[in-house]
Amino acid sequence: MTPDDERLLRRAIALANQARADGHAPYGSLLAGPDGAVLVEAHNTVRADRDISAHPELKLARWAARELDPDTAAATTMFTSCQPCQMCAGAIARSGLGRVVYALSADQHDELHPGGGFPGVPQEGPALYEEARVPVDGYY
């Protein structure tokens, strides 16, 4: 971790503090380009937007996928106050971002917010392979 990494991670924590002060959930993130310049910032707006996907990490991953070419996205770093959840981690992987630096780990977060997880939802499958493969086969 470089001094610039620490500075940018502190900015993500400051965004989380500001989000909490403004009545939002306490999470903040930013994307920095290869030169360390901040490209975009976001905070959690799940409650205000009534949108369960309004996590800052997901917002930034979507922004990067929409606004950056693949080479530029691969050269960016996301700095975030907490380790991205599984939903956000999937979006980050698909967006092509180069790196993520987080402050609190998921385990540390869970210690601060015990019992705050979500119940598992049963999933069944795979099923109907021969039918389900038709629209996918040959697409990629």
Side-chain angles (χ1 to χ4, degrees):
M1 179 102 65
T2 68
D4 278 344
D5 288 345
E6 290 180 3
R7 175 181 58 81
L8 292 164
L9 192 55
R10 284 188 175 100
R11 175 63 188 151
I13 294 167
L15 291 167
N17 279 321
Q18 187 60 54
R20 182 176 175 171
D22 292 343
H24 301 287
Y27 308 103
S29 305
L30 64 90
L31 272 182
D35 60 355
V38 175
L39 303 174
V40 64
E41 298 178 337
H43 63 82
N44 188 293
T45 55
V46 166
R47 292 180 192 148
D49 294 349
R50 296 177 49 124
D51 178 356
I52 61 172
S53 69
H55 294 194
E57 302 90 346
L58 182 58
K59 292 178 190 181
L60 297 182
R62 292 178 64 194
W63 181 89
R66 188 175 57 246
E67 302 295 331
L68 302 177
D69 64 80
D71 290 339
T72 303
T76 64
T77 300
M78 178 184 290
F79 292 88
T80 187
S81 60
C82 288
Q83 185 175 5
C85 70
Q86 292 179 356
M87 173 183 68
C88 294
I92 291 165
R94 286 165 181 79
S95 71
L97 298 181
R99 179 174 170 237
V100 174
V101 177
Y102 59 87
L104 283 179
S105 72
D107 289 339
Q108 291 168 326
H109 177 273
D110 291 348
E111 288 175 14
L112 296 169
H113 185 46
F118 299 98
V121 176
Q123 297 186 30
E124 298 178 22
L128 303 175
Y129 173 78
E130 288 302 322
E131 294 172 42
R133 69 185 286 273
V134 172
V136 176
D137 191 27
Y139 178 79
Y140 296 100

